Amino acid sequence: MKLKDQINFVRQNIKKNRLRVFTTVLATTMGCSFLIVLASVGFGFQRSVTEEIQKQQVLTEVTINGLQKKDEEARPVTSKQINDIKNTENVKAVVTRNVINVPARAEFEGRTGQNFLSIITDMEQEKKASLSLDRGRMPEKPNEIVVGYHFGSQLYTEKEQAQLEQFNSNPEDGAKKPEGYKEDLLNKKVTFVYTDENEKEQAYEFTVTGVSKKPARDFMEDTNVMIGQNMLKELAPLVDPEFDPNEITYSNVMAYASSIDQVDGLTKALKEKGYLVYSITEELESMNLFFNAFKIGLIFVGTIAVLIASIGIFNTMTMAVTERTQQIGIMKAIGAQPKMIRRLFLMESAWIGVAGSIIGVVISYGIGWAANQIVPMILQSTAGGGAPLEMQISYIPLSLVLIASAISIGVAILSGLRPAVKATNIDVLSALRREI
């Protein structure tokens, strides 16, 4: 019997018992879709968390928290170690930052703002590290600065200050938060007044040459002020009263790899030198290990549903063998080989698995899309409103579809194997008398 004839034979037998085959395919569909939907939750949460981490940190960044040699206590990174870090293989840039630890007040055209975080940094290294600017350029002179995207919105007039106090004291009273300065601050001069530990005020005038890129999340605000490192000695007492110009200690040190593929190698190289480091690759590795175990568990639970559906396939194929006893006997009598008879029944069970998998995949994508649309809205409403939640509840990669389909089809074929073997063992004479 040719393959075409075998396919037609299987199709005719399926048509004879449409209702029974339909219910069996339905069970397979439910098992396959349950497996995919359940596992897609693990994939969805993993993708959401990964994207959140990647948005909060540059992928090529390695944070250096200190230096710890053998039998020594950890100590902060100083200017003496910077060249050593720069000479490490695959280092593109080394950004050193110091935070001014005293309150800052900004004054601009009759407006004032309070408590801005002032950061003294190496602008050349920031440029090599590809600091993202929304507009403008990097500073080139000592009195030039880069301000955060939301810096202008924190500069208020006296009237707006009173409005802000009212809003903060009773936000539910209908008072609106003032918008602050809405014009462009590029190339405009802003005066910063710092109050040291002796309550003495020191004023510095800077020109804004650049505005940082908007943060990845709408709820995040960037009001930082970035000042060039050539102002470090002058502003040193505001950073650290015990500042030593011969051995500068840095608040933050970040090394940047040339590419994302080199981050892991750079992290290991710095660790071998005794540096205490953190990189996004380490966090993603530990997180992926957890989520992989989580997804395997979900796939295992989903597979149980597919195995339950296999009981229906086994019953359907067993009934098919029983009903076609005489037909099998005739086929044997005219010379049909046992392997060909076995193949016919396995093709029928495989068809049930394939049909159930295809329908199950389609249904899974529909459920996943609905979950991504509805669940975040429910969570948002239960949380009291606010900004829409950017969360992916379900994500179905191609690998999950292939795994679930392979499991469903494989289980279907295995479920039909025992009835197929039983069909090949039927005695011809007994079959012709309609006996098994």
Side-chain angles (χ1 to χ4, degrees):
M1 185 182 293
K2 296 181 179 179
L3 179 61
K4 182 180 179 181
D5 296 328
Q6 294 177 29
I7 294 173
N8 290 331
F9 181 81
V10 170
R11 186 186 295 122
Q12 290 173 4
N13 288 323
I14 289 174
K15 287 181 178 180
K16 290 179 180 178
N17 299 283
R18 291 181 180 179
L19 182 59
R20 187 167 64 201
V21 172
F22 170 77
T23 55
T24 308
V25 170
L26 181 61
T28 306
T29 298
M30 293 174 64
C32 181
S33 59
F34 180 75
L35 168 59
I36 294 175
V37 170
L38 197 63
S40 72
V41 174
F43 282 95
F45 277 113
Q46 181 180 20
R47 192 176 193 187
S48 297
V49 174
T50 301
E51 289 179 352
E52 183 67 27
I53 293 174
Q54 291 176 349
K55 285 181 179 180
Q56 293 180 2
Q57 184 179 343
V58 180
L59 298 181
T60 56
E61 181 181 293
V62 179
T63 303
I64 303 172
N65 298 312
L67 177 65
Q68 187 174 28
K69 297 293 186 180
K70 290 183 178 179
D71 302 325
E72 294 182 6
E73 292 184 359
R75 58 183 188 272
V77 178
T78 64
S79 52
K80 293 182 178 180
Q81 284 95 42
I82 296 303
N83 286 331
D84 179 44
I85 297 172
K86 288 181 178 178
N87 293 330
T88 305
E89 189 178 1
N90 298 324
V91 171
K92 175 183 176 182
V94 178
V95 173
T96 55
R97 294 177 179 176
N98 278 305
V99 178
I100 295 179
N101 297 311
V102 299
R105 182 178 76 251
E107 297 178 351
F108 172 72
E109 296 183 355
R111 295 173 175 270
T112 58
Q114 302 290 334
N115 300 323
F116 293 105
L117 182 64
S118 300
I119 302 170
I120 302 174
T121 183
D122 188 336
M123 292 297 180
E124 287 297 323
Q125 294 297 314
E126 292 278 7
K127 190 184 296 184
K128 288 182 180 179
S130 304
L131 174 67
S132 299
L133 295 180
D134 182 74
R135 54 191 181 277
R137 60 173 176 80
M138 295 294 290
E140 298 173 355
K141 299 178 181 178
N143 65 332
E144 295 179 342
I145 60 173
V146 170
V147 297
Y149 185 86
H150 300 97
F151 178 83
S153 64
Q154 302 299 313
L155 298 173
Y156 304 115
T157 61
E158 290 185 7
K159 183 179 178 181
E160 289 175 331
Q161 288 281 4
Q163 183 182 345
L164 179 64
E165 291 177 5
Q166 184 181 358
F167 173 80
N168 290 333
S169 61
N170 195 357
E172 298 180 358
D173 194 30
K176 292 184 179 180
K177 185 179 179 180
E179 296 182 353
Y181 187 72
K182 297 169 63 177
E183 304 297 327
D184 199 346
L185 284 167
L186 280 182
N187 302 319
K188 294 183 179 178
K189 297 182 183 298
V190 181
T191 301
F192 288 87
V193 181
Y194 297 96
T195 306
D196 61 20
E197 58 181 5
N198 298 318
E199 301 298 326
K200 182 181 177 181
E201 291 188 345
Q202 300 181 43
Y204 299 88
E205 187 178 69
F206 296 103
T207 301
V208 179
T209 63
V211 178
S212 298
K213 192 175 181 180
K214 185 179 180 181
R217 298 297 188 190
D218 292 336
F219 61 84
M220 298 173 66
E221 286 194 352
D222 180 9
T223 60
N224 295 341
V225 180
M226 302 184 72
I227 305 170
Q229 202 164 35
N230 41 24
M231 290 288 292
L232 178 58
K233 290 185 179 180
E234 185 173 349
L235 298 172
L238 303 175
V239 176
D240 184 3
E242 300 178 359
F243 178 79
D244 183 0
N246 298 318
E247 190 176 14
I248 304 172
T249 300
Y250 299 104
S251 304
N252 300 292
V253 178
M254 286 82 67
Y256 291 83
S258 302
S259 67
I260 185 64
D261 297 330
Q262 297 170 343
V263 173
D264 188 51
L266 175 58
T267 302
K268 292 178 181 177
L270 291 172
K271 280 186 175 181
E272 290 174 358
K273 291 185 176 183
Y275 293 102
L276 305 174
V277 300
Y278 160 81
S279 67
I280 192 172
T281 55
E282 290 186 319
E283 184 170 351
L284 290 177
E285 282 179 5
S286 59
M287 186 192 68
N288 287 336
L289 181 63
F290 165 77
F291 275 109
N292 286 337
F294 181 57
K295 289 183 292 187
I296 290 173
L298 293 177
I299 291 175
F300 176 76
V301 174
T303 303
I304 294 176
V306 177
L307 292 174
I308 294 173
S310 69
I311 298 173
I313 299 174
F314 178 82
N315 290 334
T316 297
M317 297 311 301
T318 301
M319 289 294 297
V321 172
T322 302
E323 293 171 352
R324 299 173 201 164
T325 301
Q326 188 179 46
Q327 187 181 62
I328 294 170
I330 294 173
M331 292 174 64
K332 279 191 168 186
I334 60 177
Q337 297 295 321
K339 63 179 182 179
M340 195 270 290
I341 297 174
R342 183 170 59 247
R343 187 188 305 126
L344 290 174
F345 284 94
L346 289 177
M347 287 174 63
E348 190 170 334
S349 61
W351 184 92
I352 293 173
V354 170
S357 299
I358 294 173
I359 301 172
V361 168
V362 174
I363 292 175
S364 300
Y365 274 104
I367 295 174
W369 178 85
N372 289 330
Q373 300 299 318
I374 297 172
V375 175
M377 294 172 57
I378 296 174
L379 294 176
Q380 181 186 354
S381 62
T382 55
L389 294 175
E390 297 181 14
M391 180 186 295
Q392 188 163 11
I393 304 299
S394 173
Y395 171 63
I396 305 176
L398 179 61
S399 59
L400 177 57
V401 173
L402 295 177
I403 291 172
S405 299
I407 291 175
S408 299
I409 296 172
V411 168
I413 293 174
L414 290 175
S415 300
L417 183 60
R418 179 68 183 88
V421 171
K422 181 181 178 181
T424 60
N425 294 330
I426 292 176
D427 179 71
V428 176
L429 295 177
S430 298
L432 293 177
R433 292 197 302 268
R434 296 193 177 188
E435 296 178 0
I436 300 178

